[in-house]
Amino acid sequence: MTSIQKAVQHGRQLLTNKVHNPDQEASLLLAHSINKTKEFLIAHSDEPISDASFQRYQEYLSRRAEGEPIAYIQQQKEFWSLDLKVSPAVLIPRPETELIIEVALELLTGKDHATILDLGTGSGCIALALAKEKPHAQITACDNSSDCIDIAKVNAQNLALDNITFITSHWFQSVDTNNFDIIISNPPYISSDDEDIEYEVQKYEPESALFSCNNGLEDLFHIINHAPNYLSSYGTLLVEHGYKQGNDVRTQFSKCGYNNIHTLQDMQQHERVTQGTVTK
Ligand SMILES: C[S@@+](CC[C@H](N)C(=O)[O-])C[C@H]1O[C@@H](n2cnc3c(N)ncnc32)[C@H](O)[C@@H]1O
């Protein structure tokens, strides 16, 4: 048997030059192996860990050293202060996606009973964050992957959020309501020949969540083209997109007759979220 402190040292050595923060990741993986928090490790550094836990820890370390994202190993990711279950079937929620939540909440100021559609819900992160902030809103969340819908439903159940209806749908195909106040989407928007995509992302995250044809714009344009049929008068479409896609996205919004079209930047000052409103 080894102690917590020695196990962390061992993990740090194994992950050095393989991950950005070996010390932090070794601690996270050890905490996950023994089902405790990182704080527990600090307060109990001399305590021994069982052989079974150490074996589990070794397995996690090897997976991480090979490049598997830590969120898939832990089967958990925090988004908007919510603990979400994730699996390789869903995209790992990204911090930059919190911008679209901030913009939606701003638009929903004073509107407690809004109707919201989240297209391509994945882990459910966007729908769940909005459900948490707007408990009286009626939210529909769809994805064409039933595996994603299963995970999103588990997350809703774990968080006791019951104001979301989940449907398996190819974009709008099975959506039977046409007066949403807000339609929100973070669709796949990476071009299949993008050379900047990180190895970890390309190897481990679902292709169907990442890539779109026509330089990454096909799904964005499909959503922009069809959303007006599903929005109420003065309803707004909000989409997340790649940082080089702002111009193309605004042009498409404009071609489809939206008003008040503008793009917001994320924390890196990258164009990330574009919105437009329809008037009918
Ligand atoms: C970039 S991920 C976003 C997931 C989640 N909303 C988030 O922000 O982390 C795109 C999601 O769109 C879904 N998707 C891809 N093509 C779709 C389609 N034709 N119809 C519905 N959903 C689709 C994928 O399964 C994936 O969950």
Side-chain angles (χ1 to χ4, degrees):
M1 276 203 281
T2 190
S3 71
I4 285 178
Q5 193 177 22
K6 288 205 171 118
V8 173
Q9 277 166 11
H10 164 76
R12 183 194 309 136
Q13 278 166 6
L14 221 139
L15 295 179
T16 295
N17 297 329
K18 301 221 163 78
V19 303
H20 290 310
N21 196 335
D23 199 34
Q24 191 191 17
E25 295 209 11
S27 297
L28 284 171
L29 290 173
L30 182 60
H32 183 55
S33 313
I34 61 173
N35 209 10
K36 300 279 186 208
T37 61
K38 263 193 338 173
E39 291 68 33
F40 178 94
L41 303 188
I42 296 162
H44 300 81
S45 61
D46 292 331
E47 277 188 22
I49 57 170
S50 71
D51 290 344
S53 298
F54 190 73
Q55 223 173 349
R56 213 166 23 245
Y57 177 51
Q58 286 277 38
E59 184 217 314
Y60 295 159
L61 287 171
S62 320
R63 285 165 62 186
R64 185 64 192 118
E66 278 181 25
E68 184 170 345
I70 197 160
Y72 287 151
I73 300 173
Q74 294 180 297
Q75 299 181 353
Q76 184 272 342
K77 179 73 186 175
E78 191 178 300
F79 179 83
W80 200 259
S81 303
L82 304 173
D83 267 340
L84 301 181
K85 179 183 163 72
V86 294
S87 82
V90 303
L91 187 91
I92 300 165
R94 303 293 202 269
E96 60 265 27
T97 299
E98 295 192 342
L99 174 63
I100 211 166
I101 308 293
E102 288 166 19
V103 180
L105 290 176
E106 181 82 29
L107 285 166
L108 291 169
T109 308
K111 290 184 198 153
D112 286 341
H113 296 268
T115 50
I116 301 167
L117 173 62
D118 172 27
L119 292 169
T121 199
S123 61
C125 59
I126 293 175
L128 293 158
L130 292 174
K132 177 86 183 167
E133 299 295 335
K134 292 277 169 188
H136 300 296
Q138 281 176 6
I139 302 172
T140 304
C142 86
D143 205 288
N144 66 344
S145 152
S146 54
D147 289 340
C148 287
I149 293 295
D150 289 345
I151 297 275
K153 280 183 178 170
V154 169
N155 280 324
Q157 210 164 11
N158 289 347
L159 295 165
L161 295 169
D162 59 6
N163 54 334
I164 310 176
T165 305
F166 292 99
I167 53 173
T168 306
S169 173
H170 168 79
W171 300 131
F172 296 96
Q173 211 164 65
S174 305
V175 176
D176 59 8
T177 310
N178 62 0
N179 60 347
F180 290 100
D181 296 306
I182 290 189
I183 298 178
I184 191 163
S185 185
N186 173 19
Y189 56 70
I190 300 173
S191 173
S192 39
D193 59 4
D194 191 325
E195 285 173 0
D196 293 341
I197 184 158
E198 285 173 47
Y199 166 80
E200 271 189 24
V201 175
Q202 182 139 26
K203 178 157 184 224
Y204 289 96
E205 301 207 57
E207 230 180 275
S208 53
L210 299 171
F211 300 106
S212 191
C213 300
N214 182 20
N215 293 326
L217 292 164
E218 184 161 294
D219 291 298
L220 279 162
F221 282 11
H222 179 89
I223 292 166
I224 296 166
N225 294 349
H226 290 85
N229 300 330
Y230 295 86
L231 282 166
S232 61
S233 189
Y234 297 101
T236 299
L237 171 65
L238 283 173
V239 289
E240 179 174 320
H241 51 74
Y243 68 99
K244 293 178 188 162
Q245 293 171 327
N247 249 329
D248 291 318
V249 167
R250 283 188 297 277
T251 304
Q252 195 65 17
F253 266 85
S254 179
K255 274 188 192 163
C256 294
Y258 291 82
N259 300 307
N260 293 329
I261 302 161
H262 60 275
T263 301
L264 293 110
Q265 295 182 337
D266 64 17
M267 281 181 299
Q268 270 80 46
Q269 259 68 100
H270 289 145
E271 289 196 330
R272 186 61 65 192
V273 170
T274 293
Q275 69 180 75
T277 298
V278 293
T279 38
K280 293 185 177 175

